Amino acid sequence: QGQLVESGGESVQAGGSLRLSCVASLYSPGTYCWGWFRQAPGKEREWVGNSFTGQSSADRVNAKSDRFTISQDNSKRTLYLQINELKPEDSGRYYCGLGGGNCFRLSSYKDWGQGTQVTVSS
């Protein structure tokens, strides 16, 4: 499967915006769930949104909230997560994953990056 590296997390004020990136060094031929998850301290990792590897349109992109926008650049093997109107509850470590099956389920993902930290202060 793939190696994933996330970046873009930082400490921001509530109301601001961030764009996170996930670069996949490689992935096997085929279509896989390519998703973003968030994990706050003491909580389970939760689905934020997903696309699919190699996808060229936004038709099958899913996101938890209208404040989250998933996009990708297939030529760069990069998945993006734009978060607008940041809230303190958006704080956590954001992980990028690759997997198959039900893209909303944590158990569907087999490869993960190291995550990138987002901290939103009020």
Side-chain angles (χ1 to χ4, degrees):
Q1 279 283 37
Q3 288 191 331
L4 306 166
V5 179
E6 303 93 333
S7 63
E10 59 182 86
S11 296
V12 295
Q13 293 284 325
S17 298
L18 277 178
R19 189 175 80 156
L20 309 182
S21 300
C22 168
V23 179
S25 60
L26 61 91
Y27 43 73
S28 302
T31 300
Y32 300 93
C33 300
W34 199 2
W36 284 101
F37 283 72
R38 174 177 67 199
Q39 188 165 20
K43 295 188 176 181
E44 189 173 277
R45 197 172 294 189
E46 62 172 349
W47 176 84
V48 171
N50 74 272
S51 183
F52 296 86
T53 55
Q55 181 162 289
S56 58
S57 75
D59 291 348
R60 296 177 66 200
V61 172
N62 304 295
K64 183 182 181 71
S65 163
D66 290 344
R67 297 186 298 109
F68 300 151
T69 302
I70 306 278
S71 61
Q72 67 199 86
D73 184 335
N74 295 321
S75 67
K76 297 180 180 179
R77 293 181 181 266
T78 302
L79 184 72
Y80 301 102
L81 172 64
Q82 173 81 27
I83 313 174
N84 298 322
E85 301 174 29
L86 280 157
K87 303 176 180 181
E89 51 263 44
D90 292 324
S91 297
R93 194 158 188 88
Y94 284 71
Y95 295 90
C96 171
L98 282 172
N102 187 328
C103 297
F104 303 108
R105 290 189 175 181
L106 179 63
S107 59
S108 297
Y109 292 79
K110 306 304 179 188
D111 290 286
W112 295 98
Q114 81 292 348
T116 186
Q117 182 67 35
V118 172
T119 303
V120 184
S121 56
S122 57

